[in-house]
């Protein structure tokens, strides 16, 4: 194994860390969107699309990392002293990534609860508007029947 294979693992973890930073920023954007009185669905949709793209990138990085690691795992274990700096850097990056993933999961749960409460409020407003429309329609129909007078000179026989 060359030193570059170990360096590829380090670079992969660094890229993953940068992408997780972007995910954190997107979570913050979504949090701000949910705090607004009226939800900007277009902005939320765009943010969700960006999150999907970032998730795909993370998945590709994970797959690539696992493939390279599986290929060089034995060499890394046998020659730990030769790759001490890379192993130490990978451990640091993995610790950072783990912290970021925990914070992302916490932020996503907060956003989920905010979204649920926002959508619940909207459903209630729609329900109230619907009931107001029914009341208005009933009032209109009742008032029209008040002024209706049955024909007195109508011959019902044919």
């Amino acid at each position: 194994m060359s030193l570059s294979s170990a360096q590829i693992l380090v670079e992969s973890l660094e890229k993953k860390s940068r992408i997780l930073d972007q995910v954190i920023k997107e979570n913050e954007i979504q949090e701000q969107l949910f705090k607004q009185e009226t939800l900007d669905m277009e902005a939320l949709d765009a943010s969700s699309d960006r999150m999907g793209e970032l998730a795909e990138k993370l998945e590709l990085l994970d797959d690539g990392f696992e493939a390279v690691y599986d290929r060089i795992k034995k060499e890394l274990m046998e020659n730990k002293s030769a790759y001490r700096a890379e192993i130490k850097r990978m451990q640091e990056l993995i610790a950072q990534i783990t912290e970021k993933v925990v914070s992302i999961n916490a932020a996503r749960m907060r956003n989920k609860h905010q979204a649920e409460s926002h959508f619940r409020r909207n459903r209630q407003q729609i329900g109230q508007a619907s009931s107001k429309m029914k009341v208005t329609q009933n009032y209109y129909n009742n008032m029209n029947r008040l002024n209706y007078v049955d024909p007195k000179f109508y011959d019902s026989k044919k």
Side-chain angles (χ1 to χ4, degrees):
M1 176 182 84
S2 65
L3 207 54
S4 64
S5 295
Q7 193 59 35
I8 288 172
L9 293 177
V10 171
E11 288 175 9
S12 176
L13 290 172
E14 288 172 345
K15 285 180 185 178
K16 185 172 183 174
S17 180
R18 287 191 298 270
I19 291 174
L20 288 174
D21 288 336
Q22 292 174 346
V23 170
I24 290 171
K25 288 179 185 175
E26 284 300 324
N27 274 339
E28 291 171 356
I29 289 170
Q30 288 182 356
E31 186 175 351
Q32 292 302 316
L33 288 172
F34 287 124
K35 286 183 180 178
Q36 296 174 356
E37 186 65 32
T38 57
L39 183 61
D40 184 358
M41 291 302 289
E42 290 178 13
L44 182 62
D45 193 35
S47 179
S48 295
D49 289 344
R50 288 190 298 269
M51 288 284 265
E53 292 170 7
L54 292 173
E56 289 175 10
K57 288 179 183 179
L58 284 172
E59 190 173 328
L60 288 174
L61 278 173
D62 284 343
D63 292 344
F65 181 88
E66 287 178 25
V68 173
Y69 182 74
D70 288 342
R71 196 178 75 226
I72 66 171
K73 179 180 179 179
K74 186 176 180 182
E75 177 70 23
L76 274 175
M77 295 302 167
E78 291 175 356
N79 298 321
K80 286 184 180 181
S81 60
Y83 303 107
R84 180 166 289 149
E86 286 83 5
I87 291 172
K88 182 168 176 51
R89 180 69 180 139
M90 282 189 272
Q91 288 172 336
E92 292 170 356
L93 287 168
I94 289 171
Q96 290 174 3
I97 288 169
T98 303
E99 288 176 20
K100 289 178 183 180
V101 167
V102 168
S103 75
I104 287 169
N105 287 337
R108 292 197 62 177
M109 289 305 293
R110 282 192 307 269
N111 287 348
K112 179 183 174 192
H113 290 299
Q114 287 179 343
E116 287 173 349
S117 69
H118 186 79
F119 293 138
R120 192 176 318 110
R121 273 194 316 265
N122 283 349
R123 257 187 255 115
Q124 288 173 346
Q125 289 173 349
I126 290 170
Q128 289 172 350
S130 176
S131 67
K132 286 179 183 177
M133 283 179 50
K134 286 179 186 176
V135 167
T136 304
Q137 186 67 34
N138 287 339
Y139 175 78
Y140 175 77
N141 289 338
N142 289 333
M143 294 315 282
N144 278 340
R145 275 191 235 127
L146 268 178
N147 294 330
Y148 181 73
V149 179
D150 288 330
K152 303 284 188 221
F153 300 107
Y154 180 69
D155 186 15
S156 60
K157 297 179 187 176
K158 287 191 174 184

